[in-house]
Amino acid sequence: MLVSRWCLAVAVFGAVALALSQAHPTHYPEVDVALWRERIRNGTAPPPFQSYHIHVLFVSNQNDSVDPAMAFRQKFMSHFGLTDDNPCNGLTHQGRLCMFTVDASSGSTDSPFVTSEWGMFLPLEDFAKFVPWTMQNRGENIVFIHPNSGMEKEDHTHWAVWQGDIWPLRPSALCTYCGN
């Protein structure tokens, strides 16, 4: 058991650099963030959602947090026929359900998350299929669901949904792509 956890830890930490380059946020360069912020200030409609991310947060140095999170990831992948063979690729729109590489970095300053997480890209049209399943099968895991509209700060802070306890976020990590 100790050896398998060590192997998992090595595999997970080996993928951290890749995860940081792929996990967050999904970029929509065609979205004029300044224009949409002005429209929101004027009381007009916010931008449409283009896709979603579902994240499961965990504490990387606590087995009672890591084990359920990884078991839930495996259960999700098995239930929906996903593998790690074709992960999400980069920070652009994926156009398909895919899993990001596990981020066990314990909250890199490049991430809006202050803890470790695994996540997936969810096309807009699949929301009703995957989110209810996640709600009913998450167990004690902390799940964070946010839209991707091109306005990363708002997507993560104002328009997101938590399942379980609300954990702190680092919105300043999103400012690289904030548009102002």
Side-chain angles (χ1 to χ4, degrees):
M1 184 74 152
L2 182 60
V3 171
S4 65
R5 283 191 180 146
W6 182 83
C7 290
L8 173 64
V10 168
V12 167
F13 285 106
V16 166
L18 181 60
L20 290 174
S21 69
Q22 293 182 354
H24 244 98
T26 295
H27 299 291
Y28 291 95
E30 69 278 7
V31 173
D32 184 340
V33 174
L35 173 66
W36 283 108
R37 285 211 174 109
E38 184 61 28
R39 287 181 179 175
I40 291 169
R41 279 191 286 275
N42 292 334
T44 59
F49 296 157
Q50 306 291 321
S51 62
Y52 292 89
H53 286 173
I54 299 175
H55 299 275
V56 174
L57 285 67
F58 61 95
V59 180
S60 63
N61 63 351
Q62 294 179 7
N63 290 339
D64 62 340
S65 182
V66 174
D67 293 346
M70 293 301 106
F72 183 50
R73 184 176 190 270
Q74 222 27 67
K75 182 177 179 178
F76 184 94
M77 291 172 62
S78 176
H79 184 80
F80 292 110
L82 298 169
T83 67
D84 283 322
D85 296 338
N86 193 14
C88 297
N89 185 15
L91 297 176
T92 58
H93 188 80
Q94 303 295 310
R96 64 186 173 89
L97 177 72
C98 58
M99 304 297 288
F100 290 106
T101 307
V102 175
D103 177 2
S105 66
S106 293
S108 159
T109 57
D110 295 338
S111 170
F113 300 107
V114 298
T115 191
S116 302
E117 58 89 21
W118 63 262
M120 70 194 75
F121 178 92
L122 184 62
L124 197 60
E125 62 272 11
D126 291 333
F127 183 89
K129 178 179 180 182
F130 293 95
V131 172
W133 186 92
T134 301
M135 291 172 163
Q136 293 177 326
N137 291 277
R138 72 174 182 87
E140 294 300 314
N141 289 296
I142 305 302
V143 178
F144 178 69
I145 302 169
H146 69 83
N148 296 305
S149 70
M151 296 182 66
E152 290 89 5
K153 269 191 162 178
E154 290 81 355
D155 291 341
H156 288 78
T157 59
H158 297 298
W159 302 328
V161 176
W162 287 92
Q163 296 172 7
D165 295 335
I166 296 174
W167 286 17
L169 294 175
R170 186 182 298 111
S172 62
L174 301 165
C175 286
T176 305
Y177 313 105
C178 289
N180 3 327

